[in-house]
Amino acid sequence: MAVKDTITQYNLKQKMNFLRKALNFCGKLILGIYIFYLFLSFIIVPLGAPWIISSQATKQLKHTVKVGAVLFNPFLLRFNLNGFKITGQDKQEMVGFNKFWVDFSFIRLLRKELHFESIGLDGLRANVVLLEGGKVNLLDLVPASAIPPKSTPEEKTKIPQTPDAAKPAAKPLPLVTVGKLVLKRTMVSLSDQAIAPGFKTVFSNMESEITGISTKPDAQIKVVFGCLIDGKGTFTTEAVVWPFAQPLKFESVSSLSNYVLTVFTPYVGKYTGHAVKDGRLGINMNYTIADNQLRASHKILVQSFDFGDKYPSQDALKLPFGLALGLLEDGQGRINISLPVTGNINEPKFNYFRLLGQVAGNFFMKMITQPLMFLVSLGGTDPGLQEMGSVRFVVGASELTPENQAWLKALVKGLKERPKILLQVNGSYDPLTDWQAIRKKTFEERYQFLNQESLRKDFRLVQQVYAEFFGYRSYWQLAGKFKDEKGRVKEEELVAEMKRRLIEDAPSNQMALNALAIARAQLVYDFILQEGFDQSRLSLGENRQVQGSMGYVPLEFTVTVFEEPAVQS
């Protein structure tokens, strides 16, 4: 029995020795791994990583890449990359930053969640240059193998058809969250060397914070961004995105204020032929995407804008830019423009920038080519007034109808809001329809006068009026064409023809037409002054021939501003 106990104690002792050796080995192994982990984190990474990143990045990007320091905190799982810089062939910095960091959470990893406390960039610098030919300098940093080949038109329109049964089931995304994505003290310089003498603007003090980043289906990402533009203008935006919502849901509010417009002289001068002397720009933009519908509003405010000296440009457009400025500017030197944009983002041909360009183009072209309608829209909200286009007189008449008066009131109100605009009233007449109306009125008045003093029948009265205007010789020649087989005059047919000739064939009297045009212009001129319009901005112009339509003759106006070319409307 004693021997058996001795053997048992020996076996137990052996097991304890083995266990102690195993634990000792594991402890040394763990300690070794831990020491190697610390050695790697504190020695190898700081000393070797900068050289490896610099050499490999320089080889891949074919530009000189420098890295100041690479740090890794093994306890906080925080990675830092400091002093990064890429220089171009001209030794100028293209892209660089002071610090990039990634702060990872080890505790969340135990709960099967990849959580980053924060990811950020501090002191980012980028010099973006648009070169001649439309090439951007930063594209040189993209390896050729990473640029996808251009697809042919056939490939663009070809849509692969995959049976629903063959589509693999969508796998749920791994849970990844980011506490915040930070951008601090960023500066981006934008230069355009494709336009002479060159354009440059600088975005500085760029600060951004993005929160709520997650792969959860109900993720709601919030973006806050702000920066200075050329040291004076400020730009801010706040946005909320639901990235996994079906359909996409997005909201944002952005504003630009106090941006000095003189920096745009190269572009404005190229197309207008004048430099920008002064002006500040402000923009408020609201965007909402919901149920595949885009609703966007753009409210633009330009203050104290003025053209400066002539700018040499062969591409200057022959458009009345001064008139456009006068139409846009109110009495306080402000230009307020509202450009709403709506559309279905699900449509294949939907293109936001093209849609915005169409809205802006239609607005400015309508303003320049139809200045009266633009002014009336400022003074009245009734769409019927805008559709009139101008004052319309009944053919042969010079009375202002209630519709004409309402239109003129709206025009005067719009003109009062645009103090730089001068208006000239041009008498108008249609040599055909106005003259026919005048002849008809003259015939009817003469016929009624003769009818009151005579007992003769209608045929004899029309005969006398016709002879007074055309002479008896013309009457006998005409009467000879309206006789029956027995030589008797067909009185009814002859009367109809005499009336037609009296109205349609009588030679026009230019003096009568000019008198009618002057009466119309004077009537409108007086009405505008009665509405309180400044007489120094109103004048009477020369008479003009116009073409009437639907029984009306439009009155013409000439809109001018200072020494700009006149625009008729």
Side-chain angles (χ1 to χ4, degrees):
M1 192 71 178
V3 175
K4 185 177 182 181
D5 293 338
T6 302
I7 295 174
T8 302
Q9 291 177 1
Y10 177 79
N11 290 335
L12 181 60
K13 186 177 180 180
Q14 289 293 105
K15 290 180 180 180
M16 292 299 295
N17 290 334
F18 176 79
L19 182 60
R20 279 195 297 270
K21 289 180 180 180
L23 290 175
N24 187 37
F25 175 78
C26 290
K28 291 181 179 179
L29 178 63
I30 293 173
L31 180 62
I33 293 174
Y34 181 69
I35 294 174
F36 177 75
Y37 174 62
L38 295 178
F39 178 76
L40 183 68
S41 302
F42 290 118
I43 305 298
I44 300 300
V45 169
L47 295 178
W51 177 82
I52 294 173
I53 295 175
S54 298
S55 60
Q56 292 300 314
T58 300
K59 181 179 179 181
Q60 292 294 326
L61 301 179
K62 294 181 172 39
H63 286 77
T64 302
V65 178
K66 294 182 179 180
V67 177
V70 178
L71 305 174
F72 179 69
N73 188 318
F75 305 106
L76 300 178
L77 296 182
R78 183 183 179 96
F79 172 81
N80 286 69
L81 176 62
N82 301 337
F84 183 86
K85 182 167 65 173
I86 302 176
T87 56
Q89 303 298 332
D90 55 357
K91 306 300 181 182
Q92 296 296 318
E93 184 179 42
M94 299 175 68
V95 179
F97 55 80
N98 295 337
K99 181 195 294 186
F100 168 72
W101 73 88
V102 178
D103 194 354
F104 185 75
S105 173
F106 178 77
I107 297 177
R108 296 281 190 96
L109 186 62
L110 299 177
R111 294 185 294 180
K112 299 181 179 180
E113 177 183 353
L114 295 176
H115 178 75
F116 297 87
E117 294 292 343
S118 67
I119 301 175
L121 265 177
D122 184 6
L124 174 65
R125 303 172 303 278
N127 292 312
V128 184
V129 181
L130 179 62
L131 306 171
E132 293 185 7
K135 185 179 178 181
V136 179
N137 67 325
L138 294 187
L139 290 179
D140 290 342
L141 301 178
V142 181
S145 58
I147 301 177
K150 294 183 178 180
S151 58
T152 63
E154 293 78 9
E155 292 174 336
K156 291 181 180 180
T157 56
K158 185 178 180 181
I159 302 176
Q161 302 295 328
T162 304
D164 292 340
K167 292 181 180 179
K171 295 182 179 180
L173 294 173
L175 182 55
V176 180
T177 58
V178 179
K180 59 183 178 180
L181 196 61
V182 181
L183 192 67
K184 300 173 62 176
R185 296 183 296 179
T186 296
M187 184 182 71
V188 176
S189 172
L190 299 178
S191 303
D192 186 354
Q193 297 181 0
I195 188 171
F199 166 82
K200 184 176 181 179
T201 188
V202 178
F203 298 84
S204 60
N205 290 359
M206 296 173 68
E207 303 279 341
S208 177
E209 184 172 291
I210 304 175
T211 58
I213 302 174
S214 173
T215 56
K216 295 179 180 179
D218 59 347
Q220 180 177 317
I221 301 176
K222 297 181 179 179
V223 181
V224 178
F225 175 83
C227 72
L228 280 177
I229 306 179
D230 294 329
K232 296 181 180 179
T234 59
F235 177 78
T236 61
T237 186
E238 293 185 8
V240 181
V241 185
W242 291 261
F244 301 108
Q246 293 295 330
L248 176 65
K249 190 176 180 182
F250 171 83
E251 295 177 0
S252 74
V253 177
S254 305
S255 67
L256 170 67
S257 61
N258 204 35
Y259 184 61
V260 179
L261 291 174
T262 52
V263 71
F264 280 111
T265 288
Y267 296 108
V268 175
K270 179 178 180 179
Y271 297 108
T272 68
H274 288 274
V276 178
K277 182 179 180 181
D278 194 11
R280 298 185 303 277
L281 172 66
I283 304 177
N284 288 319
M285 299 174 289
N286 293 336
Y287 292 85
T288 300
I289 297 177
D291 299 326
N292 292 323
Q293 296 296 319
L294 167 68
R295 292 185 297 274
S297 66
H298 309 79
K299 294 183 179 180
I300 303 171
L301 173 62
V302 180
Q303 301 183 72
S304 305
F305 182 85
D306 194 11
F307 286 113
D309 298 333
K310 288 187 176 181
Y311 192 90
S313 174
Q314 297 180 351
D315 300 320
L317 303 175
K318 303 298 182 181
L319 293 175
F321 293 103
L323 174 62
L325 182 60
L327 288 169
L328 289 171
E329 231 175 37
D330 62 16
Q332 287 73 44
R334 299 175 303 186
I335 298 175
N336 283 286
I337 301 174
S338 180
L339 297 174
V341 176
T342 58
N344 187 341
I345 63 175
N346 236 12
E347 293 181 354
K349 294 184 179 180
F350 177 84
N351 186 307
Y352 168 72
F353 292 103
R354 183 184 302 169
L355 188 61
L356 179 61
Q358 289 176 350
V359 173
N362 291 340
F363 173 82
F364 287 105
M365 288 305 297
K366 182 178 180 180
M367 178 190 63
I368 293 175
T369 58
Q370 298 175 317
L372 289 181
M373 291 180 64
F374 179 81
L375 290 168
V376 169
S377 67
L378 294 176
T381 57
D382 185 358
L385 296 178
Q386 300 178 39
E387 292 175 0
M388 283 179 59
S390 183
V391 173
R392 301 180 300 175
F393 287 96
V394 176
V395 291
S398 58
E399 290 81 22
L400 281 176
T401 63
E403 292 80 7
N404 285 334
Q405 293 180 17
W407 189 89
L408 286 171
K409 288 180 179 180
L411 175 63
V412 172
K413 186 177 179 181
L415 285 167
K416 288 180 178 180
E417 296 181 8
R418 297 296 183 261
K420 291 185 178 181
I421 297 298
L422 308 177
L423 185 68
Q424 185 181 81
V425 185
N426 302 103
S428 303
Y429 66 88
D430 185 331
L432 179 61
T433 59
D434 271 334
W435 179 242
Q436 289 179 355
I438 292 173
R439 294 300 301 161
K440 182 178 180 181
K441 183 179 180 181
T442 303
F443 163 72
E444 290 176 349
E445 290 177 350
R446 181 59 178 164
Y447 177 86
Q448 293 297 331
F449 176 79
L450 295 175
N451 190 38
Q452 292 175 0
E453 298 183 351
S454 175
L455 299 177
R456 290 179 294 177
K457 59 182 182 179
D458 182 70
F459 171 73
R460 294 301 178 185
L461 294 176
V462 176
Q463 178 191 54
Q464 181 177 345
V465 175
Y466 183 87
E468 290 177 0
F469 282 97
F470 292 100
Y472 278 99
R473 182 176 182 181
S474 175
Y475 168 74
W476 291 117
Q477 290 177 348
L478 180 63
K481 300 177 181 179
F482 290 87
K483 290 184 178 182
D484 56 17
E485 297 176 353
K486 296 181 179 181
R488 292 176 296 187
V489 175
K490 301 176 183 179
E491 292 185 359
E492 292 185 3
E493 296 180 10
L494 180 57
V495 167
E497 179 62 17
M498 285 190 293
K499 290 181 177 180
R500 188 196 67 79
R501 290 195 176 192
L502 281 167
I503 295 173
E504 298 181 7
D505 293 348
S508 62
N509 187 318
Q510 191 62 41
M511 292 183 61
L513 292 172
N514 283 331
L516 176 62
I518 291 173
R520 289 169 171 170
Q522 189 66 50
L523 190 66
V524 171
Y525 179 88
D526 294 339
F527 184 88
I528 292 176
L529 290 182
Q530 290 173 8
E531 290 298 309
F533 189 63
D534 185 0
Q535 188 174 6
S536 64
R537 295 171 55 195
L538 184 66
S539 62
L540 286 169
E542 61 181 10
N543 296 333
R544 293 177 180 158
Q545 289 188 16
V546 297
Q547 185 174 358
S549 175
M550 305 293 291
Y552 292 95
V553 177
L555 189 73
E556 287 201 343
F557 297 85
T558 301
V559 181
T560 57
V561 53
F562 300 115
E563 297 181 357
E564 280 288 322
V567 174
Q568 300 175 12
S569 184

